[in-house]
Amino acid sequence: MWRVLRMSILLLILGIALYSNWYDRRSTTDWDKTLWIGIFPIDADGSAISSAYAAGLTPERIADIEQFLNREAKRYGVAIDRPVRVDLYPLVSEKPPPHDAAGNVLSTMWWSLKLRLYARRNSHPPGRAPPQVRIFVLYHDPAFNQSVPHSVGMQKGLVGVVNAFADDSMTRTNNVVIAHEILHTLGATDKYDLATLAPLYPDGYAEPEREPRFPQVLTEIMAGRYAVDAQDFEMPDSLTDVLVGKATAREIHWVTQQ
Ligand SMILES: [Zn+2]
């Protein structure tokens, strides 16, 4: 009797989780109404530089993310007027749970659950409705941290954590990383070799048919870098030089045909 009851409860929880993932995937990639994305700045290290940068962020400084996504959506024929809306939210003081990249399956599942609860707790400040996709951006002082932990975007839970730099000269490249993680939350996959960081041909190339093939000048957003030649890969300066490639457009349902 207890076994049956316990089993039924577990199956019910599993069913709810499967349904909510299916519903999130469907509702964020049907492109029949504006998808609402929120950017939540966080001071990552408590330094004067990071606190001032995170607190001083303005909608204008993240505006190119929405412009990029809407420009690319239109290029693929998404018909609505404003496919995505990217809003800046007030500073969040609680930091997201740290991710142990070397952890096992169970610790990753536990972290992902904690991250979903964190996102729920921190995504509706007083007087503001919560967005559908939540991106928490930790701004680090480049003087203390020349390299920052990996950023993540999860389709399950529609939440991303971006590690960025609190420096005016990095604002536009930070926004490239934010756009990349937003697209992960919509089901896009990485299109670079994880070991060498090389963009994968052809899906990770913005212009795979370009002749000669090198140098590429534009970047595919899920590759993150463009190939100057077969061995050298560079990051773009801003979203102006970035495209959504055909494979990514299929993954996020901007196009349905092969
Ligand atoms: Zn990625």
Side-chain angles (χ1 to χ4, degrees):
M1 167 68 184
W2 282 115
R3 257 188 73 175
V4 172
L5 188 65
R6 204 170 58 195
M7 203 60 185
S8 313
I9 291 171
L10 280 174
L11 282 173
L12 183 69
I13 292 171
L14 185 69
I16 293 170
L18 285 174
Y19 173 78
S20 90
N21 288 340
W22 171 85
Y23 178 82
D24 283 352
R25 169 91 176 128
R26 224 190 98 123
S27 65
T28 51
T29 58
D30 51 8
W31 306 110
D32 60 357
K33 57 179 183 316
T34 302
L35 173 70
W36 191 3
I37 299 160
I39 306 291
F40 298 84
I42 302 168
D43 164 8
D45 49 33
S47 73
I49 298 278
S50 305
S51 348
Y53 186 94
L57 210 63
T58 59
E60 292 72 38
R61 293 169 106 181
I62 59 154
D64 63 343
I65 303 170
E66 177 177 323
Q67 284 159 12
F68 161 74
L69 291 168
N70 286 343
R71 184 229 312 150
E72 289 298 280
K74 286 203 175 137
R75 194 164 66 82
Y76 281 103
V78 173
I80 54 169
D81 192 43
R82 195 181 182 188
V84 306
R85 158 182 169 180
V86 180
D87 281 357
L88 180 64
Y89 276 74
L91 205 61
V92 169
S93 53
E94 184 187 350
K95 281 185 220 158
H99 182 216
D100 176 11
N104 58 26
V105 178
L106 215 60
S107 71
T108 299
M109 276 172 70
W110 180 234
W111 165 79
S112 124
L113 179 68
K114 283 195 293 187
L115 183 61
R116 289 168 82 150
L117 293 171
Y118 166 87
R120 184 181 293 191
R121 247 191 339 270
N122 288 287
S123 59
H124 31 116
R128 299 278 298 264
Q132 288 162 281
V133 175
R134 291 79 48 93
I135 307 289
F136 296 90
V137 186
L138 289 141
Y139 288 99
H140 298 258
D141 183 346
F144 294 144
N145 306 283
Q146 258 121 48
S147 73
V148 291
H150 280 298
S151 298
V152 287
M154 298 200 313
Q155 209 246 306
K156 290 194 175 89
L158 305 177
V159 52
V161 176
V162 172
N163 283 288
F165 290 104
D167 189 294
D168 284 338
S169 69
M170 312 283 274
T171 302
R172 296 195 306 168
T173 45
N174 289 337
N175 291 350
V176 174
V177 182
I178 295 173
H180 176 105
E181 302 307 335
I182 288 173
L183 291 173
H184 272 315
T185 71
L186 305 182
T189 58
D190 281 321
K191 292 176 183 66
Y192 63 92
D193 183 312
L194 295 176
T196 65
L197 305 179
L200 298 177
Y201 187 85
D203 291 347
Y205 279 57
E207 299 174 291
E209 271 108 55
R210 189 180 164 87
E211 281 293 338
R213 188 179 292 174
F214 305 113
Q216 291 277 316
V217 288
L218 300 172
T219 307
E220 203 288 323
I221 184 71
M222 299 315 290
R225 285 176 173 76
Y226 63 96
V228 181
D229 55 43
Q231 281 84 37
D232 297 300
F233 323 110
E234 298 273 346
M235 288 185 72
D237 292 332
S238 78
L239 285 164
T240 314
D241 305 320
V242 179
L243 295 183
V244 171
K246 281 194 190 120
T248 301
R250 277 195 298 272
E251 289 170 335
I252 61 172
H253 299 170
W254 279 352
V255 280
T256 44
Q257 72 278 15
Q258 287 305 299

